[in-house]
Structure formats: C-alpha cells, structure tokens
Amino acid sequence: MHVTALEWAITVVVILGLFVFDFFAHVRTPHEPSFRESGFWSGVYIGLALLFGGVVAWRWGSTYAGEYYAGFVTEKALSVDNLFVFLIIMSTFAVPRIYQQKVLLIGIVLALAMRGAFIAVGAAAISAFSWVFYLFGLFLVYTAVKLLRESGHEVEVEEKRDSRIVALAKRVLPTTDEYDGDKLVTRIDGRRAVTPLLLALLAIGFTDLLFALDSIPAIYGLTEQPYLVFTANAFALMGLRQLYFLIGGLLDRLVYLSYGLAAILAFIGVKLVLHALHENTLPFVNGGEHVAVPEISTPVSLGVILGILVVATVASLLRTRVRADR
C-alpha cells in the first residue's frame, strides 16, 4: 500500500479541520448537548468513517478496506470502554455537565496526538524487527487477562488512579477546589491556580495514554499499514464526545462489555503470535525458520470481532433487563 506525502497531508488537515469545526460549532459555547444533537452528530461521524472505508477500497483495493473496517470497529469498541472511564472521571471531579464537552474534546485531541506517536514508533519497530509481533501479541493477551481481573471493579481502579494523579498535581501545582466557568486556570488573590477542570483533563489524558498502549498493538494485529492504523484511530475517536452524551446513561447496562473486549484483545493477541511464528526469524524458535502455522484472515477477524461485540451487548442488555424486572 503506497500512500503519498500529499495524501498523508490532506488526510491530517481534513481530520484536524473536523476537530476545529467540532470545537467552534459545538464546544466553544458551554452547554449540555441534547439527545437529538448527540444522536445526529454521532451518526454523521460514523457515516464519515464508513465513507472513508469506501475511499480506501477505491484507491487501494478491498483488502485494505477490510483491514481499515476491522481496525475501526475494534478501536470504536475500545473507545466505548474509554467512555465508561470518562464517566467515572467526570463524577470523581464533579465536572458540571455544561463544561464536560470541553474536557472531552481536548482529551480526545490529546489521545489522537499520543496515538500518532505510538503509531510511528510501532511502524518503525515492525519495519526493523519482525519479532515485535511476539511482544505485541503477548502484551495483548496479558492485557486481556488484566481486564478480566478488573471486571466489576472498574470504579475502584479508576478512582485510585485519579487520586494519585490529583495528589501529584497538587504537589507541583497551585490548585483550587472551585470551578471558574470553563477555565482551566484561574486567579486567586492575584496568583494563578489550576481548577478541577484541568485536573480532570490531566486524568483523562493519562487514561488516554494507558488506552493507547492497548489499542495500538491491537490494531497492528489487523493491519500493518500505518496510514490505516492512524485513520481508523482518528475516525474511532471522532464523535466520541457526542457518543458520551448519547449513551452515557446506558453504559452501566453494558455489564459484559469488559469481557467482550478481553476476548477481542486475546483473539488479536493470538493472531499476532501466529503471524510472528509464520514470519519467524528468531534463531531459538524453529532454528530461525518460519513456522508452518495457520494465519487468520482479515474477513475472519472482522467476523469474530463483530460477533463478540454483538454477543456481549445482547447478553448485557438481557442481563440488566432481568435485574430490572425483579
């Protein structure tokens, strides 16, 4: 897959333009989005993501389009898990609903910037060392096990992490417990002080960094093309702010989402290890020769990922419905 410098530049400019538009059209004036507004713009951004897959198919072929769609679905699913953590952070810092949009959008832009750096590092590592796939695969399996262990204790884990971030920030920065509109920094007795809004943003930024460590190896298990990795991440993050307000009340009903995500990460981890064995060059594995193992195709990967998400979602809704009926 050959992507010219001009195509990269146009893509980055368009994506940044969409975020700038989102800020001036919806976030600049503090307000709580209505259900209708959130639903409409969530649909717009998902439509743009699906349309871009058609552009990939037209420009580079259906194989790469399939890799893009598999990556987008995986990243979108992981982003929904992000929303649950964002909800905990907003609650912990008691961020007023009308100011939450600003924190979310800045956090999402930071997430895209950090993921861009991880994508570049990952691409360089893969290009230089094929055995990196072993590390990616084992890391994803480890992450899946960790996710299972934390399932049902997400609130406690996140609150403990947030308290550490706040303690560190207060140790090095002058802070205040009072909000000053949607300002990140205010003045108290003539001195600058950090507001809780900035502390919430720091918590979200740190959380985004941790999520990037999981999501980038996961999508590299579906495609080795940095352009597809970047665009799938960008389109998955777009509309995340609107999705937060659209399904925020439903997140507590997705009780099996973490199990589904753990299964997806474990599946991609195994896929990466199989790929690493197929491309093996390590001298202590099969004498440095390739290992004849089956590889999982992109259509199969996409089918498995979608299947797991459907089962986890339906099972969650049925489970919470039974609880509500009792």
Side-chain angles (χ1 to χ4, degrees):
M1 180 181 183
H2 177 67
V3 183
T4 66
L6 179 61
E7 288 169 331
W8 264 106
I10 291 173
T11 302
V12 172
V13 168
V14 169
I15 289 171
L16 290 178
L18 287 170
F19 278 112
V20 171
F21 164 78
D22 202 17
F23 175 79
F24 283 100
H26 305 113
V27 178
R28 190 179 186 183
T29 302
H31 72 286
E32 181 180 345
S34 65
F35 183 84
R36 181 178 179 181
E37 177 187 337
S38 300
F40 174 77
W41 285 105
S42 292
V44 167
Y45 285 118
I46 290 175
L48 287 174
L50 297 177
L51 181 63
F52 182 77
V55 173
V56 172
W58 168 74
R59 177 68 177 83
W60 293 284
S62 58
T63 298
Y64 291 119
E67 292 180 3
Y68 162 78
Y69 282 126
F72 170 73
V73 170
T74 300
E75 293 300 322
K76 199 67 176 178
L78 291 171
S79 295
V80 172
D81 195 41
N82 287 23
L83 292 182
F84 181 75
V85 176
F86 291 169
L87 197 63
I88 297 172
I89 291 173
M90 295 298 184
S91 175
T92 300
F93 291 94
V95 180
R97 293 278 289 181
I98 61 172
Y99 304 139
Q100 290 181 8
Q101 288 200 95
K102 184 175 183 177
V103 177
L104 287 170
L105 185 63
I106 296 175
I108 289 167
V109 172
L110 288 175
L112 184 58
M114 286 186 287
R115 292 186 187 198
F118 278 113
I119 289 167
V121 172
I126 289 170
S127 177
F129 312 105
S130 61
W131 50 262
V132 167
F133 285 112
Y134 283 115
L135 298 182
F136 281 1
L138 293 174
F139 178 73
L140 288 181
V141 172
Y142 163 77
T143 302
V145 173
K146 182 171 177 287
L147 193 59
L148 285 176
R149 287 178 176 175
E150 292 180 357
S151 181
H153 305 283
E154 294 88 351
V155 175
E156 294 89 334
V157 171
E158 187 56 39
E159 287 179 345
K160 185 180 294 185
R161 184 185 298 152
D162 292 343
S163 65
R164 291 174 181 171
I165 295 171
V166 172
L168 178 61
K170 288 186 174 182
R171 197 174 301 162
V172 298
L173 296 170
T175 61
T176 175
D177 294 329
E178 302 296 326
Y179 282 91
D180 185 6
D182 65 344
K183 293 180 180 178
L184 301 177
V185 178
T186 188
R187 282 187 176 275
I188 298 179
D189 299 328
R191 297 182 58 189
R192 290 184 179 274
V194 170
T195 69
L197 205 64
L198 182 54
L199 295 179
L201 182 58
L202 289 175
I204 285 179
F206 183 74
T207 300
D208 285 332
L209 176 63
L210 296 181
F211 276 116
L213 292 174
D214 300 338
S215 66
I216 298 307
I219 194 171
Y220 267 122
L222 301 168
T223 177
E224 296 181 34
Q225 305 299 324
Y227 182 76
L228 298 182
V229 173
F230 175 75
T231 51
N233 268 275
F235 280 108
L237 290 172
M238 278 183 201
L240 192 59
R241 177 183 61 80
Q242 291 86 348
L243 197 61
Y244 172 87
F245 290 98
L246 183 65
I247 68 170
L250 296 177
L251 286 175
D252 58 346
R253 296 191 62 187
L254 299 177
V255 292
Y256 295 129
L257 177 62
S258 58
Y259 294 99
L261 293 178
I264 290 172
L265 292 176
F267 168 75
I268 298 176
V270 171
K271 183 178 186 294
L272 278 169
V273 171
L274 290 175
H275 179 72
L277 288 170
H278 191 267
E279 303 292 327
N280 178 63
T281 57
L282 294 178
F284 54 84
V285 177
N286 199 36
E289 298 295 325
H290 302 335
V291 181
V293 294
E295 287 211 79
I296 304 171
S297 67
T298 299
V300 170
S301 297
L302 182 56
V304 169
I305 292 167
L306 287 173
I308 291 173
L309 288 175
V310 169
V311 170
T313 302
V314 173
S316 295
L317 296 178
L318 290 175
R319 174 67 174 172
T320 51
R321 184 178 179 181
V322 169
R323 287 179 179 174
D325 292 339
R326 288 178 178 176

